[in-house]
Amino acid sequence: MSENILQDLEMVTCTAPVNIAVIKYWGKRDEDLILPVNASLSVTLHQDHLRTTTTIACSRSFHKDCIWLNGKEQDISHPRLQSCLLEIRRLAQRRKNTGDPASDVSNKVHICSVNNFPTAAGLASSAAGYACLVYTLSQLFNVEGELSGVARQGSGSACRSLYGGFVQWKLGEQSDGKDSIAEQVASELYWPELRVLILVVSAEQKSVGSTSGMHTSVETSHLLKYRADAVVPGRMEEMIRAIRLRDFPKFGELTMKDSNQFHAICLDTYPPIFYLNNISHQIISLVHRYNQYYGETRVAYTFDAGPNAVIYSLQDYLPEFVEVVRHFFPPEVNEEEFFKGLPVCPADLSEEMIRDINMKPTPNGIRYMISTKAGPGPRVVEDPNLHLLGADGLPKKSAV
Amino acid sequence: MSENILQDLEMVTCTAPVNIAVIKYWGKRDEDLILPVNASLSVTLHQDHLRTTTTIACSRSFHKDCIWLNGKEQDISHPRLQSCLLEIRRLAQRRKNTGDPASDVSNKVHICSVNNFPTAAGLASSAAGYACLVYTLSQLFNVEGELSGVARQGSGSACRSLYGGFVQWKLGEQSDGKDSIAEQVASELYWPELRVLILVVSAEQKSVGSTSGMHTSVETSHLLKYRADAVVPGRMEEMIRAIRLRDFPKFGELTMKDSNQFHAICLDTYPPIFYLNNISHQIISLVHRYNQYYGETRVAYTFDAGPNAVIYSLQDYLPEFVEVVRHFFPPEVNEEEFFKGLPVCPADLSEEMIRDINMKPTPNGIRYMISTKAGPGPRVVEDPNLHLLGADGLPKKSAV
């Protein structure tokens, strides 16, 4: 136990999910407000498998705002962190001062945040991170209303992590960004058969960060503006329709086409940006050959700003595809290290299919996979034992 | 000596060059006439290092048209071969019949063609091949006038190999394709300092052929039409200006941007097409880092439908860049196997530059390089000893 127990300490812990876009966000029309050049749409992943947990404490005895990420203290002056803190405090000022430390927004906060997945997985951790920050702050300061516009100012795609299921980030028209917010298209319960499989690829090179990458794309790619103006609006409509109809072939085809177009824009950037490596290319080939074998789209890939694939499929198709991946990327680690998340039934592969796919297996090309599905938005953690900060307002040893 | 010497045998041997586009051709608006969706521009490479040689013989005693490519008899009924033969014979009918076998176009021909570079090099051999076929036929049948429209019907980019130096393939407007022909922008003597370095990459996978690839792109890529209509016309003008001004930084930057955009279109194709592999990506990074070190564009890359790079640079810059390539892709073969073509002076590398480029060397990533420059168009070979067909009208053993 710490010797320095703060009597006025108020503390809230929340979790928030990762989301994976099926219509990609790439390019800002306003760098400060983080307003996109096109609308986007994502699936919120289940927090059982991928989540950020954030505890925020408030006390009159804190001298300054502090933040610890994955056990390491970070610079709180980061402009995007400041944007979120400032915006929530602004919204909180509208409330009545009840005398609690959190009802006075001039009191300082301690923020402690951890991901339950390795950063190396290259899974947009900033989306879950900023969504969790903003949601937890709103709980602490008792702020109500639309939070996605606040999270957006931390990290664009974070706005989509404030809702569960299928979420669009609307382009908006206003110059102050007030209408560039997230909106749920369908809940996580709407399409229960949908499954998600993350293939974490062995990467050799470090990639260009998405913030600087999309900045260069906006500056240099002739094709980006055309994509934003002429292609994405139609795709958003088609995608929303496919989700409402639970039309997997259409959903999958649009997802793959939009992933490919996003990476095409990266290549059209000067100097060009490459996120896909040879293993990514092989996964793409494998998916197309697998679908071709069945004459329909049963699995679909999408790639963010890195070489890892996210596969969308249906419950009935996933077990076989997991075996297909295992066959063409034979793991060199044990099963527990290789397969994580929602269990899938074992499946047999037909020799005819393996012959038909006709690819040379690449041992160890995929480091591990995480099986999951769509899930809900941010949640408050009720159990006080799960707070990441102790009674002294400092990170518990277990959170470091 | 063959026992079957044909008394009426007429024979011509010619050579034709390879060309490498700096504004890329990708997509046909007419598949039969091979009319492109956009204009393109290339540099004709010197035949000292890369060329096709073709001998065509004509005799009343030939029963049918025959063709041998690199020593193997091929199917003469191939539609594109037939297009070229038919078109040249049509043009030849206008001439007077002098009694020679070649003055009667109903006489059959034997065609024998070899490349002096391995097909494995993935260097658009069809361009040099069809240019050589059409040029040699025109010499045999004494056909004069614009031949690039005929070669275009064999292989689109072949039309550009009928001229030396810097050559544009004009888009044209007529539906019969009569104005979609090649035109010299500047001769091979206009910019003598320009150098070309071909980096032959170790490829693992076989690529999608360019004919079927561009067909799928036209059918599926939203971005292709925009590129053709809105981007290429301006780039053609800029490129022609850069060549006339011998402005290497501008020439190089446009070349790289257009290569990247072509590969972006391939990625936007469904299913996507990948021609660049990890080594190609590394070459692209190396070029950008090298140029950044000097704060100017001293070398430029371009990639066709495969992973091999073609580097454009200037005489003064090339020796150092050759050493840079050798440093970051250390060869595991001897010098003779690794470096072919125009010799370059040895150069020292500064440690500061190597540090600044900051890439991990990839041993054996590049199999070999060919150093060359711009060169002239097709030529007649005068020495009868160099004919690929013997007095019997059949391939000499040396041509097999």
Side-chain angles (χ1 to χ4, degrees), chain A residues 272-387:
Chain A
I273 304 167
F274 303 102
Y275 290 125
L276 306 178
N277 67 17
N278 287 354
I279 301 291
S280 316
H281 293 175
Q282 283 173 43
I283 293 168
I284 289 172
S285 291
L286 178 60
V287 167
H288 285 291
R289 287 166 192 223
Y290 180 79
N291 288 336
Q292 180 149 29
Y293 176 77
Y294 283 109
E296 62 174 348
T297 298
R298 293 190 168 193
V299 289
Y301 54 78
T302 187
F303 293 83
D304 282 338
N308 300 325
V310 176
I311 302 289
Y312 287 101
S313 188
L314 294 176
Q315 197 171 10
D316 287 351
Y317 301 147
L318 196 69
E320 185 179 79
F321 189 71
V322 166
E323 283 310 315
V324 166
V325 171
R326 226 190 280 275
H327 179 89
F328 288 102
F329 300 98
E332 290 179 352
V333 293
N334 62 41
E335 183 57 19
E336 227 165 280
E337 272 182 77
F338 188 66
F339 188 90
K340 298 162 199 275
L342 276 183
V344 298
C345 312
D348 285 331
L349 298 184
S350 86
E351 280 182 33
E352 189 202 344
M353 184 211 292
I354 299 300
R355 253 199 322 275
D356 210 71
I357 288 175
N358 188 25
M359 284 175 63
K360 217 181 79 189
T362 304
N364 227 17
I366 291 174
R367 276 168 50 213
Y368 62 92
M369 42 181 158
I370 306 169
S371 158
T372 185
K373 58 181 183 176
R379 287 284 178 267
V380 176
V381 175
E382 303 292 352
D383 181 354
N385 293 314
L386 298 177
H387 288 320

Side-chain angles (χ1 to χ4, degrees), chain B residues 209-285:
Chain B
S210 60
T211 301
S212 80
M214 71 174 75
H215 177 81
T216 315
S217 288
V218 170
E219 297 280 304
T220 63
S221 169
H222 283 77
L223 304 181
L224 178 137
K225 206 180 139 43
Y226 179 76
R227 159 175 165 75
D229 296 346
V231 181
V232 173
R235 279 194 181 161
M236 283 294 291
E237 276 183 40
E238 282 188 272
M239 184 59 94
I240 289 170
R241 201 179 313 130
I243 292 165
R244 295 217 166 114
L245 296 172
R246 300 183 193 90
D247 177 348
F248 187 80
K250 190 71 198 164
F251 173 86
E253 189 185 310
L254 282 167
T255 296
M256 293 188 276
K257 285 183 172 173
D258 206 67
S259 172
N260 294 335
Q261 190 168 83
F262 152 51
H263 292 280
I265 299 299
C266 291
L267 234 171
D268 189 51
T269 299
Y270 189 78
I273 304 167
F274 303 102
Y275 290 125
L276 307 178
N277 66 17
N278 288 353
I279 301 290
S280 317
H281 293 175
Q282 285 174 42
I283 293 168
I284 289 172
S285 290

